[in-house]
Amino acid sequence: MGRALAQNLADRKITVIVFDRDAAARSRTAEDPRLVVAESVDAMFAKLAPPRTVLLMVNAGAPVESATGELRMLLSPGDMIVDGGNSFWRDTQRRSADLARAGLDFVGLGVSGGEEGARRGPALMCGGTEAAYGRIRAWLEAIAARVDGHACADWFGPDAGGHFVKMAHNAIEYGVMQAIAEATQILKLGLGLSFPEMQKEAAAWGAAERASYLLELTQDILGRADRETGRPLIEVISDRAGQKGTGGWAIEAALSLGVAAPTLSEAVFARTLSGSPERKDAVARLGAPARRGVLERGDLGDALFAATLVCYAQGFQLIRAGAVQHGWVGDLARAARVWRAGCILRARLLTDVASAYELAPDLTTMLAAPGIASMLKACEPGWRQTVAFAASNGIAAPVLSSSLAYLDAMRTPRGATAMIQAMRDGFGAHGFERIDKPGMHHADWS
Ligand code: 3PG
């Protein structure tokens, strides 16, 4: 992604001095005559005039830590490090504070879109001080994806504001990917479709206002054969998903901020479960469930779209709560606008989400925006059928079903928690609130 971003900057006539630790990568980069490739960090520094801006494109964690430490020794007050990796937001807060003490700016920059996005136009979520953003804003806007002339780049608040929004983006990505995976599993196991038939369904799921990059990718995947065996690609890939951390960090943040993100957490745990050794014993002992019932294909598409909306809603709640707690930018329309193009989540529905938050910035949940509520209502019958079909056929659909449970919990005027409060008071004298007078009360349990 580093080379791709450097080339993107060069396309905009912005001078870039590149250093890569890997000699082979340096030679590859040098094939582009517009890029000045330095042979060492010192040589790179010799070519930079202060105030210097160093864009770091290395893996999150230890590599960012050691590169930042190394750069700190070379940089002078007024210089800036921009970390374009998926760094843990608390690390970004710590590094910002550390470097600020040395008079240096540390900017956490969320970059989404993969290598292709970095080359052609990513979505950029910038943190750091507003003044630091002002210094690099023109560059970020020049290289970002564009929608109707507007760059998909913006500032989300000091220190980790940008990395937190990128983390929420990724958590939604986990949710949407899991929902798509569940829907394709229902097509395969529940409806017995062939791969070409599944590909047609995926095309229908992503038609018109439901179009998204991840659904385009799904169609592409379903049509691909493995080069070595000629079998459908998806059949030769192991059923075990990796994860680099952003999904789990988002769930930890949701728990500590008191934000309900059950659907996003289901998506993270689905990946965890996919790699767990205990599945083997369960497969051997419990066997496959019986198949029953029918499902209209349109129902499945409705369930997928509705679950996608719920994933977004939970991710936006997380961004808002983080912003309130840490003094970041809680303007959710801004996040929706930045995600309209360039990033993995790019989808047509983000235009509606951005308009909903522009019209009503204090909207308590995106699901209550009139246009979005009516989309959900239209999807509801098919969504319920799909969840029931998955359950009665023993097909795990944690995101499709948890999203429906979330909606039902949100929309029920009086939920089931009075029973929980009564039990807590019954066994532990924890007290409960009453509907008819203020304060905490106890029942007589004698
Ligand atoms: C991203 O989208 O930023 C990551 O590449 C995907 O994250 P993951 O490896 O945790 O799925």
Side-chain angles (χ1 to χ4, degrees), residues 53 137 217 234 261 296 379:
T53 304
R137 179 178 179 166
L217 184 61
I234 199 82
E296 298 292 330
C379 289

Side-chain angles (χ1 to χ4, degrees), residues 86 111-112 166 169-170 173-174 242-247 271 344:
N86 274 335
V111 181
S112 181
K166 174 62 173 28
H169 166 284
N170 280 23
E173 179 184 306
Y174 273 53
Q243 50 184 312
K244 293 206 200 79
T246 41
R271 291 201 196 181
I344 305 297

